[in-house]
Amino acid sequence: MPELPEVETTVAGLRAVLQGAVLTRVEPRRADLRWPIPVDLRQRMTGATVTGLSRRAKYGLIETDRGDVMIFHLGMSGRWRIDPTAIGTHDHLLLETSHGHVLALNDPRRFGSLDLVRSHGWQSYTPFTRMGPEPLGPDFHTARLAAALKGKATSIKAALLDQRIVAGLGNIYVCEALNMAGIAPIRVAGKISRPRLALLVEAIRDVLSAAIAAGGSTLRDYARPDGELGYFSKQWRVYGREGESCLCGGTVQRRVDGGRSTFFCAKCQK
């Protein structure tokens, strides 16, 4: 699933072709994705000028001069394609712009979503009302995390995946940040000391920032012939590296909890 860095990278790529453009064609090609697409999306977005693009957690926001915000989620398999050579079966939303670009929201598994809300109240969009702070924003700090974890008997990994604790973190970057901070993923969240939480906050910020920087560098020239936005790729510290060496010299291990893989090093993560 695309995580926060991938969505941030996607928004940056979309900004390069959508910012300031008039949407001359808006064509939903089916009635629903994960849930119904707003029936008035075509009417409200066609002819509108894109005034801003941003992100909240794993959601992208496209704002127009008509006071609307189109909110998209990429689900498990979604991606935006820029100037595709052909429109495919799984291209479920088409946008054409006054700058001559065609954008297709492609989602084979249809676990993504599209919604349309008013600009003045987008913060009240239902999924956002239950979310914690942005991990790269000023509201995410050691004291805030310590207060959110106080008394929690769940594992620190499960806690970090809870969007009410911190918004936008997913499996990959939680594994990476815990390894960087030297914290075992199964450690009880409410029993981690304040100094170790400070290291964790710093690790989360560093991992996400590095991922966004690397992802952004892959988008600068749109080298792929089909114009697809490239997702972040790098050599992870532990994720997907079961049986390989950790940076500390230990061996990366894998465990499965609730159907989700956790990668960690027992030597350096305590």
Side-chain angles (χ1 to χ4, degrees):
M1 176 184 289
E3 297 188 21
L4 186 155
E6 288 75 51
V7 178
E8 182 71 32
T9 300
T10 293
V11 168
L14 292 175
R15 187 178 293 116
V17 296
L18 281 180
Q19 182 71 43
V22 176
L23 300 176
T24 57
R25 177 189 177 197
V26 177
E27 181 187 342
R29 303 183 72 227
R30 59 175 299 115
D32 60 357
L33 293 175
R34 189 172 185 178
W35 49 72
I37 295 172
V39 295
D40 57 350
L41 186 142
R42 185 199 307 262
Q43 176 186 357
R44 288 166 63 178
M45 296 290 285
T46 301
T49 298
V50 176
T51 57
L53 295 98
S54 56
R55 177 195 55 76
R56 175 67 168 123
K58 300 177 188 178
Y59 292 80
L61 288 74
I62 301 175
E63 188 166 2
T64 77
D65 64 343
R66 293 181 178 173
D68 288 320
V69 178
M70 185 173 75
I71 301 176
F72 67 86
H73 193 288
L74 297 174
M76 297 291 291
S77 59
R79 67 188 189 277
W80 283 93
R81 305 200 300 143
I82 297 177
D83 296 327
T85 56
I87 302 304
T89 302
H90 302 300
D91 291 326
H92 303 310
L93 174 70
L94 301 180
L95 304 178
E96 291 186 10
T97 77
S98 56
H99 296 165
H101 291 291
V102 175
L103 295 91
L105 178 58
N106 184 280
D107 188 357
R109 299 179 69 181
R110 301 203 307 272
F111 286 161
S113 64
L114 281 169
D115 271 312
L116 194 61
V117 301
R118 298 298 291 169
S119 300
H120 61 78
W122 70 262
Q123 295 92 341
S124 298
Y125 178 59
T126 300
F128 297 165
T129 61
R130 300 188 291 263
M131 287 182 180
E134 287 285 325
L136 294 175
D139 293 333
F140 181 63
H141 45 73
T142 304
R144 178 78 175 261
L145 182 59
L149 297 179
K150 185 177 180 179
K152 285 198 171 292
T154 187
S155 71
I156 183 59
K157 187 193 176 194
L160 292 177
L161 291 174
D162 184 343
Q163 300 299 290
R164 296 169 298 181
I165 302 294
V166 55
L169 292 184
N171 197 38
I172 293 173
Y173 298 106
V174 169
C175 288
E176 293 292 294
L178 288 171
N179 177 259
M180 183 179 287
I183 298 174
I186 61 172
R187 180 166 288 279
V188 176
K191 294 185 177 181
I192 299 175
S193 69
R194 183 70 69 95
R196 300 195 77 192
L197 290 180
L199 292 175
L200 180 56
V201 168
E202 182 178 358
I204 289 170
R205 291 181 177 276
D206 287 349
V207 166
L208 293 177
S209 295
I212 290 169
S217 69
T218 69
L219 285 178
R220 287 178 186 147
D221 59 5
Y222 297 99
R224 297 181 64 170
D226 59 0
E228 289 186 9
L229 296 177
Y231 281 159
F232 170 68
S233 61
K234 64 187 289 288
Q235 292 297 314
W236 293 308
R237 297 169 64 97
V238 289
Y239 189 83
R241 298 186 58 231
E242 181 183 10
E244 299 180 26
S245 294
C246 175
L247 293 175
C248 73
T251 300
V252 176
Q253 300 177 37
R254 172 179 172 267
R255 58 177 289 145
V256 178
D257 300 295
R260 181 179 280 136
S261 293
T262 298
F263 296 90
F264 66 102
C265 173
K267 181 178 179 181
C268 65
Q269 291 179 248
K270 305 297 183 181

